[in-house]
Amino acid sequence: MAQDPEKFDTAMDTWQEWQEAPWGRLRYTLAEVNLMRHLGDGPGNAPLRILDLAGGDGGDAMRLAARGHHVTVVDLAPGMLAAAEARAAERGLSERVTCVRADVHALPADITAGGFDVVLCHNLLQYVDDVPGTLGTALAPLKEGGLFSVMAINRHSAPLNVAVRQLDPAAALDALDSDRLRTEMFDSELTLHTAEEIIPVLENLGCRDVRHYGIRSFCDYLTDDARKYDPTYYADLERLELATTARAPYTHTARLFQLTSRKRTAA
């Protein structure tokens, strides 16, 4: 399903407000913590080359660049990339953040042959038709043994979200057998997946050591959104989310799933 980049640029203000909201902050905090489980964060660790595919305005990239890593953000929306460059400049990170306008499915040769240590494929799968093809393309720039991170909306969460937030059990029943979701922010219809579906795809593409994390296991089912802005309440919620991001069964009903894996080394 081809997406119009202008849809994403048009929603820039709303998207940036979302990132600063409690649920947006949790999304980026949890993703960063889960990545650090595998990358480490000691003073002796050398800077890594990280590729952030469909990285938008650099929400993940800024955090990783602030840790000393070099991040290349690829996106097709020019407004998003301009915002990423502005954020990097504001934080004094311009030397560590490179923005490239390109289609993820037609990456420039210098990126596909780049030998990156880490590749992020966050919140892209719900916008594409060919999941195995997209993941295969995303893995191509990754070094053997490099870390791959995939994030997407969890289809298991959709019925729960409808039932709890809309108080509509009939719609929740319909959502049990649907893989479609409409996002008003970006005016797009999404295809939802589950971690259980994506894990074997990764393994068939040569990934090993797959780890499953949940992003926002509780936040989206707490209906008092206003209370989440209270610093004390938010701190308690963040601790709860951090305690359950890798803990079953909460990983299976979290709003998003994150999968990390290593690219298999050739025999």
Side-chain angles (χ1 to χ4, degrees):
M1 69 188 87
Q3 299 294 327
D4 181 359
E6 290 187 4
K7 289 183 178 181
F8 297 91
D9 286 346
T10 300
M12 177 73 71
D13 291 343
T14 304
W15 171 238
Q16 292 184 337
E17 288 175 7
W18 183 94
Q19 290 179 79
E20 294 302 319
W23 34 93
R25 289 158 58 197
L26 284 171
R27 174 260 186 256
Y28 287 102
T29 295
L30 290 162
E32 181 182 14
V33 167
N34 292 334
L35 288 171
M36 289 306 110
R37 294 171 187 264
H38 305 281
L39 299 179
D41 197 26
N45 291 333
L48 301 173
R49 295 185 65 231
I50 299 174
L51 177 61
D52 187 2
L53 296 174
D57 61 344
D60 287 309
M62 298 306 133
R63 289 173 175 252
L64 295 168
R67 290 178 175 270
H69 302 301
H70 300 279
V71 188
T72 298
V73 180
V74 172
D75 205 279
L76 199 53
M80 286 283 182
L81 290 177
E85 290 177 338
R87 292 172 81 177
E90 290 168 2
R91 293 163 171 79
L93 299 172
S94 294
E95 291 186 358
R96 298 182 194 157
V97 177
T98 301
C99 293
V100 177
R101 188 178 184 216
D103 187 328
V104 170
H105 300 97
L107 294 171
D110 60 333
I111 289 180
T112 58
F116 288 89
D117 301 292
V118 182
V119 172
L120 309 182
C121 186
H122 290 176
N123 296 319
L124 172 62
L125 294 190
Q126 54 259 39
Y127 293 99
V128 305
D129 294 319
D130 181 6
V131 168
T134 298
L135 291 175
T137 298
L139 279 164
L142 185 63
K143 288 180 179 177
E144 292 183 354
L147 185 72
F148 189 47
S149 178
V150 178
M151 184 187 296
I153 298 173
N154 175 22
R155 192 171 75 235
H156 291 320
S157 73
L160 277 170
N161 198 55
V162 171
V164 171
R165 300 196 70 87
Q166 299 179 24
L167 301 177
D168 190 341
L173 182 63
D174 290 338
L176 286 174
D177 297 314
S178 174
D179 66 352
R180 311 300 287 179
L181 178 69
R182 186 79 191 172
T183 170
E184 298 300 327
M185 184 185 302
F186 296 125
D187 187 26
S188 300
E189 186 170 86
L190 310 179
T191 301
L192 305 186
H193 307 281
T194 68
E196 294 85 352
E197 293 170 345
I198 302 303
I199 289 172
V201 177
L202 291 174
E203 291 174 338
N204 288 338
L205 289 168
C207 292
R208 58 176 175 81
D209 300 333
V210 180
R211 298 290 183 269
H212 178 191
Y213 303 102
I215 304 292
R216 300 203 313 265
S217 298
F218 290 89
C219 176
D220 291 47
Y221 309 124
L222 298 171
T223 57
D224 189 348
D225 286 340
R227 193 174 181 188
K228 298 168 192 174
Y229 286 88
D230 175 78
T232 300
Y233 186 86
Y234 178 83
D236 288 339
L237 178 58
E238 183 181 69
R239 283 193 290 270
L240 176 62
E241 295 286 1
L242 288 168
T244 53
T245 185
R247 186 168 179 171
Y250 309 104
T251 51
H252 299 287
T253 54
R255 188 55 174 158
L256 309 169
F257 64 81
Q258 182 181 7
L259 301 173
T260 63
S261 60
R262 293 284 179 181
K263 187 173 182 179
R264 194 179 304 278
T265 302

